[in-house]
Amino acid sequence: MLSGMLTGISTTMIPMNIAMVLFGCFMGSLIGMLPGLGPITAVALMIPVTYGLDPSSGMVLLAGVYYGAIFGGSTSSILINAPGEAATVATALDGYPLARQGHPGKALAVAAYASFSGGTISVIMLMIFAPILASVATSFQSADYFALMILGLTAVSAFAGRGGVLKALLMVVLGLMLATVGTDQTSGVQRFTFGSLELLDGIEFLLLAMATFALTEALSIVLKRDESSDSLKPRTIGFKNLKVTKSEFKQIAPTIGRSSLLGFIIGVLPGAGATLGSFMAYGMERNLASPEEQKKFGKGSLRGLAAPEAGNNAASSGSFVPLLCLGIPGSGTTAVMLGALIAYGIEPGPRMLTANPQVFWGLIMSMYLGNVFLLILNLPLIPYFARLLAVPRNFMVPMILFFSLMGVYLVTFNDFDILMMVIFCIAAMALRLMNFPMAPLLLGFILGGLMEDNLRRALLIYNDSFSFMWERPLTLGINLATLLILVFPMIRSFIARRKGGGKPGNEVVVEV
């Protein structure tokens, strides 16, 4: 491993590759900040640039664009509540409320620190455990992935307010239902398309995310008519607002460590990706929080902001394990990068470590440099990004509407999608006024297709028997973990009542 590290350092420290890392991080951050343009789009846009480069320089550039887009994708989520990428949906839950409370600089700074820490920790783990984790990833079967999706859906309790678990579950079911719209990839049967050709390919995630978050937020600003929140004074947004106190660092440090570890493990699993890593990190952190701290989640909690940012960046680095060691893309973005590797004539897999060590180790070691560049690039610009909230409401609302509508149109080039987004926005606004959370809807929509595919394969393997849920030890272990997560809040609530003597006045209500 030491010789491989030296090979990677010598490859990365070439001036050309340093320039490619810097350029990739800058372009990835810039594209990631724009609502509607995620890491897949960013990497795809950069592939033509790599045609004239050697393999190590080209892959270093694409890797920089990838984690740069993940790193910068939190900006639009925090400032205007417009998560253009699934991996940053959970970031908006606490990042946007914190920004609206007058702390946009601190919100962006915490996101930057968490992203940097999550990325750095995951790169260290990638370097040390990549071969071992690759063999573990191959042991996962369809039954295990289905159980993992169920485990991911248990994070729904993290998005529920007081007495809102049932509402959150209903929104998950609605998201699962929306995920079934379109043509079934296995049988070719059209489902819930109502004869519309535009629905044959299903509903775009970006359309649903913009309708349920960005557009509804713009309408909420108009309906509230709160002049006090019209804008933030520009003089209140400066470099001093980036300061995170020692007590706040102590508060989020364990969160970043736990979320980075969980995110990396999730990222290693082919098909899981940064989205599931961010949601599960957020759900884990809220369930581990004290009852008093749980009340702050969704209202600007620093732990609620740091957890998904560390989780999604760690998962994005973890997704390189199946790509490099198995030749299996761990996410949609790494699938595009797999095509770039094949175009270079490089066959990713177990032999890549010996056949192309410069590309393998150069890619890994460049991530260290990339994380440092991202922190250096983003921190000085945070006060200028934060000034976006100083824009008066009369200008802010049209800006949100413009970026949301154009973001969807530039991806699909379909007028029908704009109409659907408006319809979803109206429905989401009605649900929001009735205190239905939107995050569980997106979580169910994101995991719906993966759950269906893995459930179908598991049933075929086990002859339409649900015994697959307990026959394999790994599947059984995941299901037991899911059960533990579900009953843990009730156990803690029971213990709290016992400590309070069981008196009604001393009862502690735990939000789940």
Side-chain angles (χ1 to χ4, degrees), residues 384-447:
Y384 304 101
F385 295 148
R387 289 179 186 273
L388 180 64
L389 290 183
V391 177
R393 184 180 61 186
N394 293 340
F395 297 99
M396 174 65 75
V397 172
M399 282 175 56
I400 295 175
L401 294 176
F402 173 79
F403 281 116
S404 301
L405 294 172
M406 289 304 298
V408 172
Y409 184 76
L410 291 176
V411 170
T412 64
F413 293 100
N414 192 340
D415 297 339
F416 181 79
D417 287 340
I418 302 297
L419 176 61
M420 281 191 64
M421 187 164 65
V422 173
I423 294 173
F424 277 125
C425 173
I426 296 172
M429 195 65 205
L431 291 170
R432 185 169 173 171
L433 292 174
M434 292 185 287
N435 296 321
F436 280 85
M438 292 294 109
L441 170 69
L442 289 184
L443 180 61
F445 181 79
I446 293 166
L447 299 184

Side-chain angles (χ1 to χ4, degrees), residues 47-69:
I47 283 182
V49 181
T50 65
Y51 286 158
L53 303 174
D54 64 88
S56 59
S57 299
M59 295 310 300
V60 160
L61 170 62
L62 293 182
V65 172
Y66 178 24
Y67 47 78

Side-chain angles (χ1 to χ4, degrees), residues 258-500:
R258 288 189 295 264
S259 300
S260 299
L261 178 61
L262 177 62
F264 180 76
I265 294 173
I266 295 298
V268 167
L269 304 177
T275 304
L276 187 59
S278 64
F279 275 109
M280 292 190 67
Y282 186 89
M284 176 188 70
E285 200 57 36
R286 187 183 186 279
N287 287 329
L288 290 177
S290 63
E292 292 76 16
E293 184 66 26
Q294 283 186 356
K295 297 176 183 178
K296 300 178 183 178
F297 277 69
K299 301 176 182 177
S301 168
L302 292 181
R303 290 175 63 180
L305 172 59
E309 276 300 292
N312 63 30
N313 280 271
S316 64
S317 297
S319 63
F320 281 92
V321 172
L323 173 66
L324 299 178
C325 298
L326 301 175
I328 301 172
S331 64
T333 310
T334 52
V336 178
M337 297 183 68
L338 175 62
L341 277 172
I342 294 173
Y344 276 123
I346 298 174
E347 182 182 352
R351 290 186 297 178
M352 183 179 175
L353 187 59
T354 55
N356 300 95
Q358 292 86 1
V359 178
F360 184 91
W361 288 106
L363 198 58
I364 292 177
M365 299 307 296
S366 71
M367 293 182 187
Y368 285 105
L369 188 61
N371 279 293
V372 175
F373 281 161
L374 284 169
L375 198 62
I376 295 173
L377 285 171
N378 284 273
L379 278 181
L381 296 176
I382 283 177
Y384 304 101
F385 295 148
R387 289 179 186 273
L388 180 64
L389 290 183
V391 177
R393 184 180 61 186
N394 293 340
F395 297 99
M396 174 65 75
V397 172
M399 282 175 56
I400 295 175
L401 294 176
F402 173 79
F403 281 116
S404 301
L405 294 172
M406 289 304 298
V408 172
Y409 184 76
L410 291 176
V411 170
T412 64
F413 293 100
N414 192 340
D415 297 339
F416 181 79
D417 287 340
I418 302 297
L419 176 61
M420 281 191 64
M421 187 164 65
V422 173
I423 294 173
F424 277 125
C425 173
I426 296 172
M429 195 65 205
L431 291 170
R432 185 169 173 171
L433 292 174
M434 292 185 287
N435 296 321
F436 280 85
M438 292 294 109
L441 170 69
L442 289 184
L443 180 61
F445 181 79
I446 293 166
L447 299 184
L450 292 173
M451 285 185 63
E452 182 182 5
D453 292 341
N454 286 289
L455 174 61
R456 178 176 287 151
R457 284 194 292 265
L459 289 173
L460 288 174
I461 294 172
Y462 286 84
N463 297 320
D464 295 333
S465 171
F466 278 92
S467 61
F468 69 84
M469 294 294 288
W470 58 80
E471 283 193 4
R472 281 173 50 81
L474 182 57
T475 311
L476 180 61
I478 296 174
N479 288 328
L480 290 176
T482 303
L483 183 62
L484 180 62
I485 291 175
L486 289 173
V487 301
F488 178 71
M490 292 184 286
I491 294 174
R492 186 167 58 183
S493 178
F494 175 75
I495 294 174
R497 285 198 299 269
R498 291 292 299 270
K499 287 183 178 180

Side-chain angles (χ1 to χ4, degrees), residues 496-508:
R497 285 198 299 269
R498 291 292 299 270
K499 287 183 178 180
K503 297 179 182 179
N506 295 329
E507 289 185 2
V508 179

